[in-house]
């Protein structure tokens, strides 16, 4: 049938999939949303996210015990589903073996990285199919890079390379004083033109937010604008997310869950030094 249709019209243009999504009815839009914005509620109940869950899926709050404050659209959460909940559960379970821990962490990292790429700018383009017809699609614009905050952030590097095999990745080493919680930069190395790039900043656990705040300051010193920084994280506390957004209102935070208790053992378990 496709061959017959193509033989009848040589001017046929295959629509971009993104354009098709714009034509769906409003009742189906929530099935196709990729991220949700975290909002607070004036009541004492957990915050309700803008995009409701599809029917048949139990609704679980992605923000648990959050203070009654609006963190704004800068904080974005992956759509909560049973798969993500299981991965979160396995990572938090103290009886999980290291092999299962790393496997599930890599799966969750990949989901976050994939959604992080959706936040990057793209441009429309037209390509020619093997049958000689035109297809209207999109391509990511050049000028992106990753930056991992050592050491736990390095766990997310492979997930980014799996999606962008030639992407450049910088590193920052920051350590916090155990008593004062003050962060200090020990090492920073970025691509020479990092100031012209969109930066995917990788740090899996946001607890106090102090480490990330110091890392963003270093990037700003190298000419990167906060609005060009997308922080990729797996878990965050309300305090950590709030501290970062208050310090840098233009930054984007992408995570899977905001919870008062973050799995701070992540780095030790992932690299086997616990």
């Amino acid at each position: 049938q496709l061959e017959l249709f193509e033989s009848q019209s040589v001017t046929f243009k295959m629509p971009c999939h993104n354009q098709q999504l714009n034509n769906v009815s409003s009742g189906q839009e929530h099935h196709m949303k990729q991220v949700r914005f975290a909002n607070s509620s004036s009541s004492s109940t957990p915050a309700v996210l803008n995009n409701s869950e599809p029917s048949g899926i139990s609704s679980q709050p992605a923000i648990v015990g959050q203070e009654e404050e609006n963190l704004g659209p800068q904080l974005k959460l992956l759509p909560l589903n049973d798969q993500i909940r299981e991965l979160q559960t396995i990572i938090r379970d103290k009886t999980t073996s290291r092999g299962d821990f790393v496997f599930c962490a890599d799966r969750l990292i990949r989901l976050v990285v994939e959604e992080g790429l959706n936040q990057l700018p793209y441009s429309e383009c037209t390509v020619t199919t093997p049958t000689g017809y035109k297809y209207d699609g999109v391509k990511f614009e050049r000028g992106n890079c990753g930056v991992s905050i050592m050491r736990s952030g390095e766990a997310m590097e492979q997930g980014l390379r799996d999606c962008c095999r030639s992407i450049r990745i910088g590193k920052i080493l920051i350590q916090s004083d155990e008593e004062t919680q003050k962060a200090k930069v020990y090492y920073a190395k970025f691509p020479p033109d990092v100031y012209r790039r969109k930066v995917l900043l990788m740090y899996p656990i946001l607890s106090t937010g102090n480490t990330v705040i110091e890392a963003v300051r270093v990037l700003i010193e190298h000419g990167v604008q906060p609005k060009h920084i997308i922080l990729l994280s797996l878990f965050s506390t309300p305090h950590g997310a709030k501290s970062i957004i208050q310090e840098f209102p233009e930054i984007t935070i992408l995570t899977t869950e905001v919870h008062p208790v973050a799995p701070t053992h992540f780095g030790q378990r992932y690299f086997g030094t616990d």
Side-chain angles (χ1 to χ4, degrees), residues 3 27 69 163 183 195 207 227 234 244 267:
E3 292 176 354
E69 295 167 294
C163 300
Y195 60 92
S207 182
K227 66 180 180 180
L234 303 184
I244 296 171

Side-chain angles (χ1 to χ4, degrees), residues 31-178:
H31 292 278
M32 301 180 182
K33 296 289 187 181
Q34 296 300 315
V35 294
R36 298 177 297 179
F37 299 98
N39 294 321
S40 65
S41 173
S42 59
S43 64
S44 59
T45 58
V48 179
L49 302 178
N50 286 345
N51 296 345
S52 59
E53 295 290 347
S55 58
I57 299 179
S58 60
S59 178
Q60 294 282 351
I63 301 182
V64 182
Q66 179 183 331
E67 300 172 2
E68 295 182 3
E69 295 167 294
N70 187 357
L71 296 179
Q74 295 90 346
L75 177 62
K76 301 182 180 181
L77 299 112
L78 267 66
L80 192 62
N81 53 45
D82 291 340
Q83 175 186 207
I84 290 179
R85 289 289 289 172
E86 182 191 32
L87 295 176
Q88 293 171 341
T89 302
I90 295 174
I91 290 173
R92 288 179 177 275
D93 188 352
K94 68 178 183 179
T95 65
T96 299
S97 66
R98 179 171 178 262
D100 289 343
F101 184 94
V102 173
F103 178 79
C104 292
D106 286 341
R107 286 182 59 195
L108 194 59
I109 288 170
R110 180 63 178 264
L111 293 173
V112 173
V113 169
E114 292 278 9
E115 188 52 53
L117 296 178
N118 284 335
Q119 309 303 311
L120 296 176
Y122 64 87
S123 58
E124 296 182 353
C125 67
T126 301
V127 298
T128 303
T129 70
T131 55
Y133 293 89
K134 303 297 182 181
Y135 177 82
D136 295 330
V138 299
K139 63 179 179 181
F140 284 108
E141 295 181 357
R142 294 182 177 274
N144 305 311
C145 73
V147 173
S148 63
I149 301 177
M150 301 164 66
R151 155 171 122 169
S152 61
E154 294 177 304
M156 305 180 73
E157 291 182 5
Q158 188 58 49
L160 180 59
R161 288 195 179 100
D162 288 342
C163 300
C164 305
R165 58 183 179 182
S166 61
I167 193 169
R168 298 186 180 188
I169 297 180
K171 293 179 182 288
I172 304 178
L173 175 59
I174 299 175
Q175 291 187 349
S176 299
D177 186 275
E178 294 183 357

Side-chain angles (χ1 to χ4, degrees), residues 182-234:
K182 185 177 181 179
K184 181 179 179 180
V185 179
Y186 287 87
Y187 174 83
K189 187 68 173 179
F190 310 121
D193 59 346
V194 67
Y195 60 92
R196 296 189 301 184
R197 296 175 179 268
K198 307 293 189 302
V199 176
L200 296 173
L201 184 60
M202 297 174 286
Y203 196 59
I205 308 299
L206 303 182
S207 182
T208 63
N210 293 339
T211 300
V212 172
I213 289 174
E214 195 63 33
V216 174
R217 287 174 178 165
V218 175
L219 288 170
I220 292 176
E221 291 175 359
H222 284 74
V224 180
Q225 300 181 41
K227 66 180 180 180
H228 292 162
I229 300 175
I230 301 172
L231 175 60
L232 304 183
S233 177
L234 303 184

